[in-house]
């Protein structure tokens, strides 16, 4: 029980995120690789409603893996597979068959609230990896705060960005247009940007 972390943001964004993911992912069986699952609360929540999903949680941190595992066991979330370590900056996960578990190609790769709390290499690693690990009709989905055309979209995001950079100079809110450009260079076409509560965005790319 004590391994289960409770992320306040999960309670705020779970329902809006489910509304975004439902039209994108319902239908046939779909395999979702979740990057940076953190507490591991999203997988059980989404798969509880979207029963066609097979969830593959991951994180760079063992503490996160313990929490993900504890939640999936506690909630008896059968569609959520055992978590595995994935560091998006590493080369191994980008190669077919180099994950410990999961299919060669995924229908969706989801990254929520990670790219601003990591060096920019995590953004490039995620995009390059998604380009290789998504199937031909797969989606890469980002959720979190973004700048637009180099500008913050709200004073609260600017303050958050400053606090991130004071913690680590390599962290910070990323620019949406830079991400779109990088994705485009990796054969991921920008499909949609959706405004979410609290000045966050969902950004969807299609393989
Ligand atoms: C703010 S938490 C977000 C967790 C969860 N996605 C959520 O929205 O509640 C950021 C997560 O990113 C993970 N992370 C940081 N760098 C990473 C990397 N290079 N590869 C994979 N995960 C990373 C951290 O371990 C942490 O769990």
């Amino acid at each position: 029980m004590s391994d289960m972390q409770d992320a306040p943001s999960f309670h705020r964004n779970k329902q809006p995120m489910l509304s975004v993911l439902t039209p994108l992912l319902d239908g046939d069986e779909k395999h979702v690789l979740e990057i940076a699952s953190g507490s591991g609360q999203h997988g059980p929540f989404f798969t509880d409603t979207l029963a066609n999903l097979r969830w593959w949680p991951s994180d760079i941190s063992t503490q996160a893996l313990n929490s993900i595992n504890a939640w999936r066991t506690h909630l008896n979330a059968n569609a959520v597979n055992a978590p595995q370590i994935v560091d998006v900056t590493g080369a191994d996960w980008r190669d077919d068959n180099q994950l410990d578990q999961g299919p060669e190609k995924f229908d969706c790769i989801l990254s929520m609230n990670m790219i601003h709390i990591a060096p920019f290499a995590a953004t490039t690693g995620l995009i390059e990896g998604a380009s290789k690990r998504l199937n031909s009709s797969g989606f890469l989905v980002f959720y979190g705060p973004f700048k637009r055309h180099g500008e913050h979209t709200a004073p609260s995001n600017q303050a958050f960005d400053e606090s991130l950079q004071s913690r680590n100079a390599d962290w910070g809110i990323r620019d949406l247009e830079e991400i779109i450009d990088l994705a485009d260079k990796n054969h991921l076409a920008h499909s949609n940007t959706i405004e979410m509560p609290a000045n966050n965005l969902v950004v969807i790319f299609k393989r």
Side-chain angles (χ1 to χ4, degrees):
M1 293 287 284
S2 57
D3 284 334
M4 287 189 293
Q5 298 170 5
D6 188 24
S9 58
F10 162 72
H11 300 280
R12 293 194 296 269
N13 65 32
K14 63 180 182 178
Q15 203 60 55
M17 275 309 292
L18 180 63
S19 302
V20 167
L21 293 181
T22 299
L24 200 66
L25 297 178
D26 69 352
D28 299 342
E29 182 177 88
K30 292 194 178 66
H31 291 267
V32 180
L33 173 63
E34 184 186 19
I35 296 295
S37 303
S39 67
Q41 291 163 284
H42 287 99
F45 179 74
F46 296 149
T47 54
D48 189 44
T49 303
L50 297 169
N52 61 314
L53 298 186
R54 301 292 168 263
W55 204 262
W56 299 93
S58 72
D59 203 280
I60 194 176
S61 124
T62 8
Q63 197 184 5
L65 255 57
N66 292 340
S67 180
I68 299 163
N69 222 1
W71 277 112
R72 68 189 265 278
T73 306
H74 176 68
L75 297 171
N76 198 21
N78 293 325
V80 179
N81 291 281
Q84 56 190 318
I85 293 278
V86 173
D87 173 359
V88 282
T89 65
D92 49 350
W93 80 281
R94 307 179 204 183
D95 296 329
D96 297 346
N97 294 321
Q98 287 300 305
L99 287 174
D100 290 342
Q101 312 170 65
E104 214 173 283
K105 305 276 182 191
F106 292 88
D107 300 290
C108 177
I109 296 179
L110 172 66
S111 169
M112 300 178 65
N113 278 331
M114 187 275 286
I115 59 171
H116 54 283
I117 310 182
F120 194 68
T123 305
T124 43
L126 175 55
I127 288 174
E128 287 170 13
S131 181
K132 293 187 178 150
R133 297 308 301 260
L134 283 172
N135 68 30
S136 57
S137 56
F139 293 102
L140 170 63
V141 180
F142 290 89
Y143 166 86
F146 288 85
K147 291 185 197 168
R148 302 197 80 161
H149 302 286
E151 303 288 334
H152 285 296
T153 59
S156 58
N157 280 6
Q158 178 162 4
F160 181 44
D161 195 24
E162 284 164 11
S163 82
L164 288 170
Q165 288 182 31
S166 70
R167 286 164 67 191
N168 186 324
D170 291 332
W171 294 3
I173 294 182
R174 309 300 172 198
D175 187 46
L176 178 61
E177 283 68 33
E178 194 176 354
I179 307 271
I180 291 174
D181 192 43
L182 188 59
D184 186 57
K185 290 189 171 98
N186 284 276
H187 316 290
L188 294 165
H190 179 223
S191 151
N192 205 4
T193 294
I194 301 165
E195 301 214 357
M196 301 293 279
N199 304 302
N200 290 299
L201 298 179
V202 165
V203 188
I204 304 172
F205 295 93
K206 194 159 184 323
R207 184 73 180 89

